Amino acid sequence: PSSSPRHDDLKEMLDSNKDSLKLEAMKRIVAMIARGKNASDLFPAVVKNVACKNIEVKKLVYVYLVRYAEEQQDLALLSISTFQRGLKDPNQLIRASALRVLSSIRVTIIVPIMMLAIKEAASDMSPYVRKTAAHAIPKLYSLDPEQKDCLIEVIEKLLADKTTLVAGSVVMAFEEVCPERIDLIHKNYRKLCNLLIDVEEWGQVVIINMLTRYARTQFLNPNMNEDKEEKEKKKTEATAIVKRKPYVMDPDHRLLLRNTKPLLQSRNAAVVMAVAQLYFHLAPKAEVGVIAKALVRLMRSHSEVQYVVLQNVATMSIKRRGMFEPYLKSFYIRSTDPTQIKVLKLEVLTNLANETNISTILREFQDDHFNDKDFVAATIQAIGRCATNIGEVRDTCLNGLVQLLSNRDELVVAESVVVIKKLLQMQPEQHSDIIKHMAKLTDNIQVPMARASILWLIGEYCEHVPKIAPDVLRKMAKTFTNEEDIVKLQIINLAAKLYLTNSKQTKLLTQYVLNLAKYDQNYDIRDRARFIRQLIVPTDKSGALSKYAKKLFLALKPAPVLESPFKDRDHFQLGSLSHLLNAKAGGYQVLPDWPEAAPDPSVRNVEVKESVPEWTKCSSREKRKEKKADKPFYSDSEGESGPTESADSDTASGSESGSGSEESGSGSESEESNEESESASEEDEEEEGKKKKKNVEKIKARKPVPESESDSQPNTIASVQVFDTICKPAWLYMQFLLNPPLPVSVPQTIIPSGNLKTYELLHRITGEGLSVEYCFSRQPFSPDPHMVAVKIQFTNSATSEAKSLHVEDAKLQSGMRIKEFPEIEVLPAGETISVVMGIDFCDSTQAANFQLCTHTRKFFVSIQPPVGELMMPIFMTENEFKKEQGQLMGMNEITEKLTLEEKCQGEHAVVQRVTTAANLSRVPCGSDKECRFAGKTVTSGSLVLVSVVTKEDGAAQLTVNCEKMVIGTMLVKDIHQALTQ
């Protein structure tokens, strides 16, 4: 309640004629947004001021619009003409802000306008505007991936830009849109290396990560000779030297290492980490050490940075142990460290342990008796790894772990048991006393994993403790029914091993345990008991395996190798999310392997041409202004040498110069230039107005398309009637602005509406004269691309008009959504009307239930989609189809043999029937006997591939590869039915 009057006050200020009041209102609104408060209800009042002449007000208006343009798309579209005029504004910040707002409107219908705006901005004379164009490229690509080819042309143009402000942004766009087009980097590689030191910090991170992957494909491994030496240990040193070829580093490889090394002193932790991973993946072993000091320095930062640094150091210290050994004390654990930092430091210390420093590291482990149970468990595991890797301290570590078995903390004892078990496997005959000591702990230790480890140890080495093992089995048999599943399995194993080695004492105990297990609730335990009974107890029906029971159960087992969880994690690029998770994350680009032979280095040679950049060329309109005015049209802040490096602070540099030239009015020259620019703009507006009138007359003069013809052609406007009615002015403006009309991206195979199957939703008798039919239009549902467009046709056969036709009370399954059609106020008698609604079926064929209401009645209806209507066609080349099909094998592939109907034995008939059954597009194929189709599900975008291979005798093989098996199974059934009936 308190915020309402304040908002009314702001609206009045925005509607006033005084720029000072508007500026004050906008400052307060932007401050509200900065504090996280909702100011969306002010959108209509703010958007009216986008054409304000005051430059300061206009800047703040654009700041607001960038924040709310995506939420208020309809209102933003009404002002699209104003945003387009902003693209021609004299001030670079306004041009950039207008482009930012335009790219924030997430509506596919304005994709062509966004494309034109990005192309123009890429040629702008201001580097800040070109930087904004680079930022807009990924937004447009995510909205419409079919614009990829056009966007690559813009990226190629911006990559040639020599300005540091643009470099980082265009490389980011390159990584988002076309990271596979490595050929675009060749001619810009040296320029990017030389600009790197002056690029802003986050741009440096992006460029370094990209150049790391580039270098792995274009240069040879600098450590190739050392790797060969390791493989040729058996050969003599002389032979190895003769066969080894001298390695000469490529000058471009050296250029990258030389230009990134100074960035290790950067104040930004992300930049230092990026350089560190570059050196680790690209530099010779002798030079990698330079990054250690920088990484240790980063460990003095806050815990988040420290965590990421330690993650990477833990990976590096496995293969590059020597580089971190001088900084061993930096990894000592502090009592104030968070648990995850302690565990990572422990990991690094364990990786750095060797014969020289092991005594120091073990003392560090002993001194750290904290209350953190997770850390204590990790410390015990670290001691076990040290004992495994360094044989000299194995006995010392083992004795220390045995002492921990008397600890009061159950978790400490459990972890110690597990680690001791692994260590004893290396030399069990020397440690029978320890095994006896652990056998006595079965009465006290309750942790399931620890109990299971003790039982396994006793069973495995029962010959070393022949008197104790049967007694342990006796105790375990008493508590068998109350034990955890993992313990029960080890009790069964212990019984089997004792039966084979000491059957006189344990025969009855074993049978008792097997009888208990026979009726256990867990099927694994029941199966294990049945298997072991048949294997160890000889009967007439025993199989051949019973002869080899001792070899199966008492076979020597290799000792486990305790390894770091960070081993082999370096195949992920260090610093990436995939490396952090040790699993490939979405969007991760694989770090390529080194090439065996060096690629041609001449691809990076650039011919120096003295040509004027395109963005420096003036248009005829600008030349006309330059003749009339003494001062240049653009402000000083827009030149290449101006303060554009700090363009992120919009209100600092360009705003003062822009406002000063407009508001101060000091000097006759500035007044004359303003008057002339205004007169010039008025002349242009008159010319544009004449063109608009002509285009509008052309639109009016066009003959209306008959309803039958318009239905048979793809038309996105028809599927969004609500949008058309609300935003008609903006839509008309777009029509005559882009002549010919807007191009619509349509899949190759679209079934004409005449072939679309129509379903009855409401019979005219049930509906009291109102009949309703629906069909799946197979057109994109523009308000939400994850919804299926359903065309609904109302026919009023009654004698009276139907009123207020709308949807209510949708009862949907979990995850399903519905976008109702706009209410039909009146449907006269004998008339028919069609509307479009969107339904998100969540890639399932479950029905969407809702009420169809008139002003007097409510009818319960449901729409259930065939599986083929849950898809949308996508374009694929033959090679792409084969590649994707190869990845969707095994469980994702369903194959079925069928006999084609006589009418369906031609290629044309197969294509027609498959595309009628499912909304898929045809994929080119070199064989006449095979027809391929591709699509993806509307909601999740899961890939669907269909292949029909025909033979001369009418037989055919249908193959469906689908990421979702349920959809694939249903699709096979529908296509099989379509081809055989």
Side-chain angles (χ1 to χ4, degrees):
S2 59
S3 63
S4 166
R6 186 170 71 243
H7 283 206
D8 291 340
D9 182 34
L10 291 172
K11 291 176 183 176
E12 291 178 7
M13 294 171 71
L14 290 170
D15 290 336
S16 69
N17 296 326
K18 295 183 178 180
D19 289 345
S20 58
L21 290 176
K22 291 182 179 181
L23 183 60
E24 179 63 25
M26 286 309 305
K27 286 181 179 178
R28 286 168 55 183
I29 292 170
V30 172
M32 285 170 56
I33 297 172
R35 290 196 299 269
K37 295 185 177 180
N38 185 15
S40 58
D41 57 327
L42 291 167
F43 193 92
V46 173
V47 79
K48 288 189 294 186
N49 290 281
V50 76
C52 180
K53 292 184 179 180
N54 187 298
I55 197 74
E56 295 297 328
V57 174
K58 188 179 286 190
K59 286 180 196 171
L60 295 177
V61 167
Y62 276 114
V63 170
Y64 176 91
L65 293 177
V66 169
R67 169 65 180 80
Y68 287 107
E70 190 169 350
E71 297 179 15
Q72 304 278 349
Q73 292 179 357
D74 293 342
L75 290 172
L77 279 170
L78 290 172
S79 306
I80 196 167
S81 58
T82 311
F83 303 147
Q84 288 180 302
R85 282 200 296 272
L87 296 172
K88 305 293 184 182
D89 195 274
N91 190 292
Q92 58 170 353
L93 299 176
I94 299 300
R95 295 199 301 278
S97 299
L99 179 59
R100 201 177 291 118
V101 174
L102 201 60
S103 60
S104 300
I105 304 175
R106 312 291 292 167
V107 178
T108 54
I109 208 162
I110 66 163
V111 164
I113 292 179
M114 290 172 61
M115 190 72 243
L116 286 176
I118 290 173
K119 285 182 177 179
E120 289 183 8
S123 302
D124 197 279
M125 70 174 292
S126 166
Y128 181 56
V129 178
R130 301 199 297 277
K131 174 188 176 80
T132 308
H135 288 167
I137 289 173
K139 294 182 182 180
L140 179 54
Y141 178 69
S142 64
L143 186 62
D144 185 7
E146 294 184 3
Q147 300 292 328
K148 182 174 180 177
D149 292 339
C150 297
L151 292 175
I152 289 176
E153 294 178 6
V154 181
I155 290 173
E156 186 174 9
K157 183 177 184 179
L158 289 173
L159 278 171
D161 199 302
K162 297 181 180 179
T163 316
T164 56
L165 195 64
V166 182
S169 301
V170 68
V171 170
M172 187 69 209
F174 168 83
E175 293 279 76
E176 292 284 337
V177 177
C178 54
E180 74 283 354
R181 289 290 306 274
I182 206 165
D183 57 292
L184 300 179
I185 305 298
H186 289 323
K187 292 184 179 180
N188 301 291
Y189 171 81
R190 292 169 187 166
K191 183 197 69 179
L192 289 172
C193 289
N194 292 321
L195 286 179
L196 194 56
I197 195 69
D198 296 319
V199 175
E200 47 92 19
E201 292 170 340
W202 295 111
Q204 289 173 341
V205 175
V206 174
I207 295 173
I208 291 171
N209 287 331
M210 184 272 294
L211 291 178
T212 302
R213 291 191 297 277
Y214 176 87
R216 286 289 287 253
T217 63
Q218 300 301 310
F219 307 128
L220 291 176
N221 184 358
N223 303 305
M224 57 191 302
N225 287 336
E226 295 183 21
D227 294 341
K228 286 181 180 178
E229 281 181 357
E230 292 176 5
K231 294 178 182 178
E232 296 176 351
K233 285 182 180 179
K234 296 181 180 180
K235 298 183 179 180
T236 61
E237 186 178 351
T239 310
I241 293 173
V242 171
K243 290 190 175 183
R244 190 191 314 152
K245 294 181 181 179
Y247 167 76
V248 179
M249 181 176 283
D250 189 295
D252 287 329
H253 192 171
R254 174 58 63 192
L255 174 69
L256 178 60
L257 295 174
R258 185 173 61 247
N259 285 13
T260 52
K261 186 177 179 180
L263 295 178
L264 287 171
Q265 307 301 322
S266 174
R267 62 182 180 180
N268 190 309
V271 176
V272 178
M273 277 305 311
V275 177
Q277 64 86 23
L278 181 141
Y279 262 75
F280 181 79
H281 291 303
L282 301 181
K285 288 182 180 179
E287 300 179 24
V288 178
V290 299
I291 66 176
K293 186 175 181 180
L295 291 175
V296 171
R297 175 173 56 86
L298 283 183
M299 288 180 58
R300 303 190 189 106
S301 305
H302 52 84
S303 57
E304 287 81 3
V305 173
Q306 200 174 4
Y307 179 75
V308 176
V309 171
L310 283 169
Q311 283 271 348
N312 291 276
V313 170
T315 301
M316 295 180 186
S317 58
I318 295 174
K319 288 191 175 181
R320 304 281 192 272
R321 181 189 300 174
M323 60 189 280
F324 291 107
E325 283 182 357
Y327 306 99
L328 188 67
K329 291 183 179 179
S330 300
F331 301 103
Y332 283 179
I333 295 126
R334 300 177 181 176
S335 58
T336 55
D337 288 335
T339 302
Q340 65 269 23
I341 300 297
K342 292 178 185 175
V343 172
L344 285 173
K345 283 186 175 181
L346 204 62
E347 180 68 31
V348 175
L349 287 173
T350 309
N351 291 341
L352 298 180
N354 55 31
E355 293 81 356
T356 306
N357 58 26
I358 184 62
S359 57
T360 306
I361 291 177
L362 286 178
R363 277 200 304 272
E364 177 68 14
F365 289 168
Q366 292 172 3
D367 292 340
D368 297 327
H369 294 301
F370 303 120
N371 296 324
D372 192 334
K373 293 184 179 181
D374 293 336
F375 173 67
V376 172
T379 305
I380 294 170
Q381 293 172 9
I383 293 172
R385 277 179 52 202
C386 289
T388 305
N389 299 333
I390 306 170
E392 297 174 359
V393 295
R394 186 172 299 158
D395 292 340
T396 306
C397 293
L398 197 55
N399 293 331
L401 291 172
V402 171
Q403 291 176 8
L404 290 177
L405 295 178
S406 58
N407 194 289
R408 294 180 181 179
D409 193 332
E410 194 173 300
L411 181 64
V412 173
V413 177
E415 285 294 336
S416 301
V417 168
V418 175
V419 175
I420 289 172
K421 169 206 152 187
K422 295 177 180 178
L423 292 177
L424 289 181
Q425 284 182 260
M426 299 177 184
Q427 296 174 332
E429 58 281 347
Q430 298 179 10
H431 302 289
S432 57
D433 292 338
I434 296 176
I435 297 175
K436 292 176 183 178
H437 179 66
M438 294 180 68
K440 296 176 184 178
L441 295 174
T442 52
D443 296 333
N444 301 324
I445 295 178
Q446 299 301 322
V447 178
M449 178 58 74
R451 289 174 71 82
S453 297
I454 293 174
L455 293 173
W456 183 91
L457 202 60
I458 294 171
E460 188 68 17
Y461 306 112
C462 55
E463 295 176 354
H464 298 287
V465 284
K467 296 180 180 180
I468 294 177
D471 196 48
V472 172
L473 178 62
R474 179 182 59 80
K475 290 182 178 180
M476 290 296 105
K478 285 183 180 180
T479 61
F480 182 86
T481 53
N482 298 323
E483 298 287 351
E484 294 290 334
D485 292 343
I486 188 173
V487 181
K488 288 179 181 178
L489 290 172
Q490 292 304 327
I491 293 173
I492 296 172
N493 287 344
L494 174 62
K497 292 174 183 177
L498 288 176
Y499 184 90
L500 294 172
T501 58
N502 189 3
S503 61
K504 290 182 180 180
Q505 287 183 294
T506 59
K507 182 177 180 180
L508 294 176
L509 274 174
T510 302
Q511 290 178 352
Y512 176 71
V513 169
L514 292 176
N515 286 334
L516 289 176
K518 182 178 179 181
Y519 300 102
D520 197 87
Q521 292 182 352
N522 188 293
Y523 58 83
D524 283 335
I525 295 171
R526 296 198 300 270
D527 291 348
R528 179 75 62 89
R530 273 197 297 269
F531 168 72
I532 288 179
R533 186 187 294 274
Q534 293 296 323
L535 200 59
I536 66 174
V537 182
T539 61
D540 297 337
K541 298 180 180 180
S542 296
L545 281 177
S546 61
K547 300 177 183 178
Y548 306 100
K550 284 192 175 183
K551 290 185 178 180
L552 288 172
F553 281 100
L554 303 177
L556 291 175
K557 299 174 180 63
V561 179
L562 300 177
E563 293 182 338
S564 168
F566 289 85
K567 187 181 180 183
D568 298 330
R569 199 184 281 199
D570 59 339
H571 65 277
F572 290 115
Q573 190 168 352
L574 296 189
S576 64
L577 178 63
S578 298
H579 173 263
L580 191 69
L581 302 175
N582 198 21
K584 187 176 179 180
Y588 173 74
Q589 296 171 34
V590 180
L591 188 67
D593 292 327
W594 293 102
E596 294 182 2
D600 182 13
S602 64
V603 294
R604 290 182 291 278
N605 295 337
V606 182
E607 296 180 7
V608 181
K609 296 181 180 179
E610 295 183 359
S611 59
V612 182
E614 187 178 345
W615 54 266
T616 59
K617 297 176 183 178
C618 297
S619 62
S620 57
R621 176 178 175 181
E622 291 168 0
K623 287 179 180 178
R624 187 167 69 247
K625 292 181 182 179
E626 286 180 357
K627 288 179 182 179
K628 294 181 179 180
D630 294 331
K631 284 192 174 182
F633 178 76
Y634 288 89
S635 62
D636 292 338
S637 63
E638 293 179 39
E640 287 293 334
S641 60
T644 52
E645 298 294 327
S646 60
D648 290 336
S649 56
D650 291 355
T651 59
S653 60
S655 62
E656 293 177 4
S657 60
S659 60
S661 62
E662 286 195 15
E663 292 180 2
S664 63
S666 60
S668 58
E669 292 178 356
S670 60
E671 292 176 1
E672 289 175 4
S673 61
N674 287 336
E675 291 174 2
E676 288 161 2
S677 62
E678 288 175 3
S679 62
S681 61
E682 288 174 2
E683 293 174 5
D684 291 337
E685 287 175 2
E686 289 177 3
E687 293 176 3
E688 289 176 6
K690 293 177 182 179
K691 292 179 181 178
K692 291 175 183 178
K693 286 182 180 179
K694 291 180 181 179
N695 288 329
V696 172
E697 290 172 2
K698 289 180 181 179
I699 293 170
K700 290 181 179 179
R702 290 175 185 165
K703 295 181 180 180
V705 182
E707 189 175 349
S708 61
E709 294 181 12
S710 63
D711 286 347
S712 64
Q713 296 177 355
N715 186 357
T716 55
I717 308 168
S719 64
V720 274
Q721 294 179 354
V722 189
F723 173 82
D724 193 18
T725 54
I726 295 176
C727 304
K728 200 166 185 178
W731 173 246
L732 282 174
Y733 180 78
M734 284 185 279
Q735 280 289 328
F736 59 68
L737 181 70
L738 300 174
N739 196 16
L742 285 173
V744 182
S745 56
V746 183
Q748 284 192 340
T749 306
I750 296 292
I751 306 301
S753 61
N755 292 341
L756 292 177
K757 187 174 181 180
T758 303
Y759 305 87
E760 186 178 68
L761 190 63
L762 183 65
H763 193 271
R764 60 184 180 85
I765 297 177
T766 309
E768 299 177 358
L770 180 66
S771 62
V772 185
E773 295 180 335
Y774 70 93
C775 69
F776 298 93
S777 66
R778 297 194 173 183
Q779 300 298 329
F781 187 69
S782 297
D784 190 338
H786 298 295
M787 287 186 171
V788 176
V790 182
K791 183 178 180 181
I792 302 178
Q793 181 174 292
F794 294 87
T795 303
N796 188 4
S797 304
T799 55
S800 59
E801 61 185 18
K803 297 181 180 179
S804 184
L805 300 175
H806 62 281
V807 170
E808 281 185 7
D809 193 20
K811 295 181 179 179
L812 307 173
Q813 299 294 328
S814 176
M816 291 174 61
R817 297 178 295 125
I818 191 170
K819 179 73 173 177
E820 300 92 347
F821 56 84
E823 181 178 344
I824 302 172
E825 296 181 358
V826 178
L827 179 59
E831 294 290 328
T832 298
I833 191 170
S834 297
V835 294
V836 176
M837 68 185 296
I839 304 177
D840 182 358
F841 290 102
C842 281
D843 291 346
S844 73
T845 55
Q846 295 185 0
N849 304 304
F850 55 90
Q851 289 185 357
L852 203 60
C853 306
T854 67
H855 65 297
T856 57
R857 288 290 306 276
K858 294 183 178 180
F859 306 100
F860 289 92
V861 295
S862 65
I863 296 178
Q864 186 170 13
V867 68
E869 303 299 341
L870 300 175
M871 303 164 193
M872 58 186 296
I874 58 173
F875 174 75
M876 268 192 182
T877 63
E878 185 175 4
N879 291 335
E880 289 173 343
F881 183 92
K882 290 179 179 178
K883 180 182 177 182
E884 296 292 346
Q885 192 179 44
Q887 294 176 355
L888 292 175
M889 302 290 282
M891 293 294 292
N892 297 101
E893 183 176 84
I894 305 170
T895 303
E896 187 169 324
K897 294 182 179 180
L898 49 93
T899 303
L900 299 176
E901 189 188 359
E902 292 183 4
K903 299 178 182 178
C904 190
Q905 291 185 5
E907 180 184 1
H908 178 73
V910 171
V911 172
Q912 185 179 13
R913 295 203 178 195
V914 172
T915 51
T916 301
N919 189 17
L920 303 171
S921 67
R922 180 81 182 277
V923 176
C925 181
S927 172
D928 297 336
K929 300 296 182 181
E930 184 176 4
C931 298
R932 295 173 177 162
F933 309 88
K936 63 180 180 180
T937 57
V938 174
T939 301
S940 64
S942 300
L943 202 59
V944 180
L945 306 177
V946 177
S947 171
V948 180
V949 180
T950 58
K951 299 180 182 179
E952 295 180 359
D953 57 355
Q957 179 172 304
L958 169 63
T959 304
V960 174
N961 300 81
C962 183
E963 294 178 17
K964 292 193 173 184
M965 282 298 296
V966 177
I967 288 181
T969 305
M970 291 189 290
L971 186 61
V972 166
K973 182 180 178 182
D974 286 4
I975 295 178
H976 182 280
Q977 187 176 1
L979 293 174
T980 55
Q981 293 183 0

